[in-house]
Amino acid sequence: MQDGRDMEEEQTVRELSHDEFDPNGTLALIAVYFVILLAMWVFMYFVEFLGNELTVVG
Amino acid sequence: MGSALETGTPSFVDRFPQEASVVKAALTSSFIALFLGAVFGLIQGLHRTDVFRFLDSQYYYTVLTAHGVLMVVSFTIFFLVGIFTWAVVRSLDRPVEDIRYTWAWYGLMVVGTLMAVVAILGGFVPSTELSADVLYTFYAPLQAHPLFYGGLAIFIIGTWLAGADWFRSWYAWKQEHPDERIPLQTFMVLTTMLMWYIATIGIAIAVVGFLLPWSLGLIESVNPLLTRTLFWFWGHPVVYFWLMPAYLLWYTVLPSISGGRLFSDPLARVVFVLFLLLSTPVGIHHQYVDPGIAEGFKLIAMTNTMFLLLPSLLTAFTVVASMEHGARQRGGSGLFGWLRALPWRNPAFTGMALAGLMFAAGGFSGMINAGMNINYLIHNTLWVPGHFHLTVGTAVALTFMAASYWLWPQLTNKPLFSRPIALTQTVVWFVGMALMSNAMHVMGLFGVPRRTAEPQYEGFEFVASFGSITELRMQLALGATLLFISTVLFVSNIALSTGSPTRTGLGQPLSKPLSPAADSPEVLDNLKLWFGIAMVLVVLAYMLPLASIVGDSGVIDRGVSAAPVMIDLLTGLNPVTAVTEAVSRLSVAIVGVVP
Amino acid sequence: MNIHSYEKIWLVVAILLIVGFISTVTYGATAVGIDMVDDEGGTVNASALDEDPRFSEPRVEQVGDNEYEAYVIAQQYIFNPDPIRVPANSTVTFFITSPDVIHGFEIVGTNANTMVIPGQVAKITVNFNDPGEYGIVCHEYCGSGHHTMEGSVVVQPEDEFEPGGDE
Ligand code: HEM
Ligand SMILES: [Cu+2]
Ligand SMILES: [Cu+2]
């Protein structure tokens, strides 16, 4: 602890090489992020922006 | 444990004591700027929400200029030069070529900063001519004291020389290692600096070519649209200049801290090349609602901007995958369960992870900013500071603080004063920023402007479609207070660490990438090629807009006269009365609360 | 190059997202007809607005059946004319410029939002439907009194409206 590294940082229980490792969790997280982005974009553009008053038409 | 201490990895300062001193000096300058910036930030957060006002509102803009400049010029860039020096020396595994030269550019940057800061703080003293209440964007024809522009110029020159230092190290290294790939960290530093050299052309012309001579009275007027466009020529890529050191840390340090390895070195290189190519030809996206610029140019800037999302989206994947790799090596399992296996008790990890999370949110509001016509909705509203406090104000700032917890002991051979305080600090920042930034975004949507001391008007009121403006103000002020507390915790933790006992073996090795550089085509390391393409893209994006601005209203617009920013002596409170009044208001407030 | 298949998937999805964003904005520009402020308003001599045919007299002027033009000066720290009176059910083109420093012009809580730059003329056209009142704020820092800079747009019932620059 005092030497600046936690015991928990040392606990490598197995070594995974590039070929043994598929980042499934990352793919899942990023898919969730993608869905949020898409939904928020649609909401912001079509509801907040286009639904707002005074469109600049010229 | 005792023997581990003796045999542990040598730290950076053990290996490169002279370089460690420069890095420490740069980081110290950066933290001083951060602390002062946070003081001003708190004043703003309380003033513009009408929670606590102790300065006359005209001084708000002095405060805001100081906050902007200290945070996004001094704090970020001093940290950058420190971390880049560390990264180049570490990854090339060789000392700088001439340490006196290294100190010289650092010295120039300090001198430049002091000049600018003195000019800005002069704004608090109405009896001097010194003043630079022009905000960090210094749009002409608002005119600051020449000291301000001179300081900026010297500071930028310092960064140029710093870049030359790193190129020099690389060149010397290459003579000895002719067939090797550029080490990843050095690659990142060099591509970032190439981007910086291109970007600073804009600000150099604006400041040295126009604003400085104009403030000295050598030229009579300037073309405000031209200097503004030159400002944004630099003003967008500077965003990536702040961000790249954070990316460097996410790519090369975060995986090791997570107990894993970088997922892909080649992809990291691709990402940095994309930033070099695309960071500059986009600046006009800050001018979507400027008159005098044709819509076509705005459309081109938007297309480039949107594609500039790509390297960041790729980064999100690679960095999270590297963390997942660490978690799985540490025994984590399940689709989301591995998240629990991450070292959440390590402040360096937690700080960077929370910073990354906020960047995901900031990325979204940035996408809105980037959408050419939706920009009408939020342009210059409080939404915009809401956005960049997530990006530069957290993704960058919190990553820097977290990385300091990891790096500082290796620069000093002294362990951190307190890890629990450090962990608390990162969480408090996250919570504070969530509150402040959320309130800013929402108020922005209701039309509340940014950069305004008292956004309360006589003729109308802002309408909140949900919540209330008062509630949002309180949320903003509370967030600002938490952020200030967090900054104090950070700075004092680092400062107190100087009192820790000296130890050996504090070095923290970095893990190797899973997919190494050798997996990527050599052409990625052809810096000349990428620099050339980047220049071509910039010329294509800017030649016509600049030509048309000059064609329409000249290099210099004689109709525009300077508006020096002097505080009006009659209405200006002098600082003595301001402070007395503050004390009396504070005591009234305290008496009011204490029963 | 050794790129994991998931990365390839994400790369494609990310590009689709970007293309989607650009398409949405293009849809807004074409199908909805949202126009950006640009160089159509032309330039002006900022120190001689009083001699300029457009700005010597800030005003609202009828130019067609339901079409009006508003010539507005934003200066430290007022908008002129103030209020800007326009009739309901009209199309109003604002021409806005500044004799001193850069200002902002935002009809509060709406999408009508532009920068005002000395020497340049910002031109935006909007449609007003119902009678009512809007605030205007200057949203760009323009000097020590910036926070006092406000104005208003009064949309009057058609039968009560008379064009001209009253104030
Ligand atoms: C202690 C934490 C902080 C607090 C309480 C804070 C608060 C604020 C507030 C309330 C504003 C809005 C002012 C306005 O538009 O009227 C602001 C603006 C700004 N902040 Fe912060 N901030 C903090 C940290 C940071 C950090 C870490 C950065 C960047 C590294 C940053 C960069 C900026 C910039 C660039 C502006 C805009 C200045 C301008 O409009 O000219 N802030 N800040
Ligand atoms: Cu930008
Ligand atoms: Cu203003």
Side-chain angles (χ1 to χ4, degrees):
Chain A
M1 187 79 190
Q2 279 84 3
D3 68 348
R5 66 181 98 165
D6 242 359
M7 291 322 287
E8 58 171 344
E9 276 157 59
E10 306 295 311
Q11 296 166 353
T12 301
V13 296
R14 57 173 180 231
E15 292 273 349
L16 285 173
S17 74
H18 192 271
D19 296 334
E20 295 164 319
F21 171 54
D22 287 326
N24 293 323
T26 303
L27 191 67
L29 279 180
I30 216 120
V32 172
Y33 182 51
F34 177 78
V35 170
I36 295 176
L37 278 185
L38 215 57
M40 290 284 287
W41 172 266
V42 169
F43 172 75
M44 286 296 299
Y45 201 92
F46 293 94
V47 180
E48 287 287 334
F49 175 52
L50 292 186
N52 200 13
E53 275 188 288
L54 297 190
T55 310
V56 179
V57 292
Chain B
M1 218 163 174
S3 66
L5 290 184
E6 306 311 321
T7 57
T9 323
S11 65
F12 187 75
V13 58
D14 296 333
R15 311 228 26 234
F16 303 103
Q18 293 190 313
E19 285 73 11
S21 299
V22 182
V23 177
K24 244 178 356 190
L27 298 197
T28 307
S29 315
S30 157
F31 300 154
I32 294 171
L34 172 66
F35 175 71
L36 295 176
V39 173
F40 292 121
L42 179 65
I43 296 175
Q44 288 156 209
L46 300 181
H47 190 106
R48 63 166 294 145
T49 52
D50 201 14
V51 169
F52 178 58
R53 288 179 177 161
F54 71 96
L55 284 171
D56 188 89
S57 282
Q58 60 178 325
Y59 292 111
Y60 183 83
Y61 307 103
T62 314
V63 171
L64 189 55
T65 310
H67 179 72
V69 171
L70 284 168
M71 286 299 194
V72 297
V73 178
S74 314
F75 161 57
T76 46
I77 299 183
F78 270 116
F79 195 92
L80 176 142
V81 295
I83 211 79
F84 275 11
T85 303
W86 165 77
V88 168
V89 169
R90 196 207 71 85
S91 64
L92 298 180
D93 199 21
R94 63 184 293 135
V96 297
E97 297 312 299
D98 181 350
I99 195 75
R100 289 167 306 180
Y101 176 79
T102 307
W103 280 112
W105 59 250
Y106 167 73
L108 271 187
M109 289 176 64
V110 172
V111 170
T113 306
L114 289 178
M115 284 167 65
V117 167
V118 165
I120 295 168
L121 296 183
F124 287 118
V125 190
S127 53
T128 66
E129 290 228 330
L130 222 51
S131 173
D133 302 343
V134 290
L135 308 189
Y136 83 103
T137 45
F138 49 87
Y139 295 140
L142 287 172
Q143 192 182 55
H145 192 278
L147 198 60
F148 176 76
Y149 303 114
L152 283 180
I154 291 179
F155 182 84
I156 301 270
I157 293 172
T159 62
W160 286 346
L161 298 180
D165 202 0
W166 304 321
F167 271 97
R168 200 171 154 198
S169 287
W170 167 60
Y171 189 77
W173 174 87
K174 210 169 75 163
Q175 307 310 311
E176 293 163 22
H177 306 79
D179 301 319
E180 282 180 40
R181 299 298 296 262
I182 308 175
L184 184 59
Q185 286 187 324
T186 301
F187 181 84
M188 292 173 161
V189 169
L190 299 183
T191 43
T192 304
M193 290 317 290
L194 289 178
M195 185 268 280
W196 183 243
Y197 286 121
I198 297 177
T200 43
I201 299 172
I203 193 146
I205 298 176
V207 170
V208 180
F210 295 106
L211 301 175
L212 183 59
W214 171 66
S215 69
L216 290 168
L218 299 176
I219 52 175
E220 213 175 298
S221 38
V222 296
N223 178 343
L225 181 59
L226 179 61
T227 47
R228 180 178 160 85
T229 305
L230 289 170
F231 176 86
W232 286 116
F233 178 106
W234 169 79
H236 189 79
V238 74
V239 168
Y240 288 97
F241 198 55
W242 304 326
L243 208 54
M244 289 307 100
Y247 274 37
L248 181 146
L249 292 162
W250 292 351
Y251 273 109
T252 63
V253 175
L254 184 57
S256 304
I257 300 182
S258 317
R261 293 160 63 185
L262 173 61
F263 192 52
S264 166
D265 169 304
L267 215 61
R269 285 176 205 252
V270 170
V271 162
F272 273 72
V273 166
L274 284 174
F275 279 121
L276 166 58
L277 297 183
L278 287 175
S279 289
T280 317
V282 297
I284 289 178
H285 68 210
H286 292 261
Q287 300 176 282
Y288 282 149
V289 302
D290 274 16
I293 299 180
E295 184 160 356
F297 300 141
K298 296 178 178 177
L299 192 69
I300 294 172
M302 175 181 77
T303 312
N304 290 346
T305 305
M306 289 296 188
F307 277 96
L308 189 49
L309 286 172
L310 199 60
S312 286
L313 291 170
L314 292 178
T315 298
F317 188 96
T318 314
V319 170
V320 175
S322 313
M323 289 178 9
E324 183 180 353
H325 181 254
R328 301 231 184 257
Q329 290 204 134
R330 294 156 57 88
S333 61
L335 197 55
F336 296 110
W338 56 274
L339 287 166
R340 278 198 306 272
L342 288 165
W344 291 108
R345 278 173 36 226
N346 179 352
F349 173 81
T350 302
M352 288 199 211
L354 293 178
L357 188 60
M358 287 223 137
F359 194 52
F364 172 72
S365 57
M367 293 168 195
I368 300 296
N369 299 344
M372 187 171 68
N373 40 35
I374 195 176
N375 196 257
Y376 276 130
L377 179 64
I378 44 80
H379 179 78
N380 265 2
T381 68
L382 209 46
W383 167 286
V384 177
H387 157 73
F388 61 65
H389 280 91
L390 293 179
T391 54
V392 66
T394 299
V396 173
L398 189 53
T399 298
F400 286 1
M401 292 187 261
S404 305
Y405 292 140
W406 178 84
L407 184 61
W408 192 257
Q410 305 181 54
L411 296 173
T412 54
N413 275 348
K414 289 171 188 236
L416 193 64
F417 173 72
S418 163
R419 278 171 54 109
I421 292 180
L423 192 59
T424 314
Q425 183 269 326
T426 59
V427 176
V428 173
W429 187 280
F430 184 82
V431 174
M433 195 54 91
L435 293 172
M436 184 170 95
S437 164
N438 178 58
M440 284 176 158
H441 277 103
V442 175
M443 284 160 99
L445 286 181
F446 302 151
V448 179
R450 65 184 284 202
R451 302 184 144 177
T452 303
E454 296 177 21
Q456 299 110 26
Y457 295 89
E458 284 168 6
F460 66 91
E461 283 191 358
F462 295 104
V463 187
S465 47
F466 49 91
S468 77
I469 293 286
T470 319
E471 236 170 75
L472 289 166
R473 280 199 192 121
M474 293 308 125
Q475 198 186 108
L476 196 165
L478 178 62
T481 311
L482 291 177
L483 286 167
F484 177 74
I485 293 172
S486 174
T487 313
V488 172
L489 290 179
F490 168 74
V491 175
S492 47
N493 204 352
I494 295 286
L496 288 170
S497 303
T498 48
S500 302
T502 304
R503 287 170 180 269
T504 52
L506 290 183
Q508 304 265 11
L510 295 179
S511 56
K512 297 248 176 307
L514 281 171
S515 165
D519 287 350
S520 66
E522 298 251 359
V523 63
L524 274 178
D525 287 13
N526 188 341
L527 297 179
K528 277 197 196 117
L529 173 72
W530 302 122
F531 182 73
I533 299 180
M535 284 298 284
V536 171
L537 289 177
V538 171
V539 170
L540 286 180
Y542 268 102
M543 196 175 54
L544 291 177
L546 288 174
S548 95
I549 290 170
V550 170
D552 289 346
S553 42
V555 175
I556 282 172
D557 184 343
R558 293 192 195 288
V560 178
S561 20
V565 283
M566 293 305 166
I567 298 285
D568 184 347
L569 271 176
L570 292 175
T571 55
L573 281 176
N574 80 46
V576 181
T577 34
V579 170
T580 349
E581 202 203 349
V583 172
S584 70
R585 282 191 62 170
L586 193 61
S587 40
V588 171
I590 293 169
V591 172
V593 176
V594 180
Chain C
M1 221 156 115
N2 186 354
I3 297 184
H4 194 278
S5 58
Y6 290 180
E7 275 174 321
K8 289 182 192 149
I9 297 174
W10 178 235
L11 180 70
V12 172
V13 171
I15 291 179
L16 285 178
L17 187 73
I18 290 169
V19 172
F21 288 162
I22 298 176
S23 314
T24 322
V25 171
T26 316
Y27 162 83
T30 52
V32 185
I34 303 164
D35 204 39
M36 297 313 293
V37 190
D38 58 14
D39 52 359
E40 258 177 73
T43 59
V44 65
N45 182 345
S47 56
L49 293 186
D50 50 348
E51 293 158 22
D52 187 87
R54 291 192 286 182
F55 292 100
S56 56
E57 213 183 300
R59 66 193 177 280
V60 176
E61 202 175 273
Q62 184 159 17
V63 293
D65 246 0
N66 284 317
E67 288 178 22
Y68 296 81
E69 290 183 344
Y71 295 93
V72 181
I73 293 181
Q75 67 189 77
Q76 285 174 329
Y77 300 105
I78 53 164
F79 291 98
N80 183 8
D82 181 28
I84 301 170
R85 294 181 205 278
V86 298
N89 299 312
S90 63
T91 301
V92 181
T93 302
F94 291 87
F95 293 87
I96 317 159
T97 195
S98 156
D100 43 47
V101 300
I102 297 183
H103 296 277
F105 177 94
E106 177 198 29
I107 303 185
V108 176
T110 76
N111 296 334
N113 182 338
T114 180
M115 297 303 298
V116 183
I117 301 179
Q120 310 288 330
V121 179
K123 168 178 171 278
I124 52 173
T125 303
V126 299
N127 295 319
F128 289 99
N129 300 326
D130 302 323
E133 209 177 318
Y134 298 93
I136 301 176
V137 292
C138 168
H139 62 43
E140 185 55 86
Y141 167 64
C142 54
S144 57
H146 163 60
H147 45 276
T148 62
M149 185 162 168
E150 62 175 299
S152 62
V153 177
V154 178
V155 186
Q156 294 181 315
E158 278 155 279
D159 46 355
E160 288 172 27
F161 176 75
E162 278 171 45
D166 30 11
E167 271 82 9

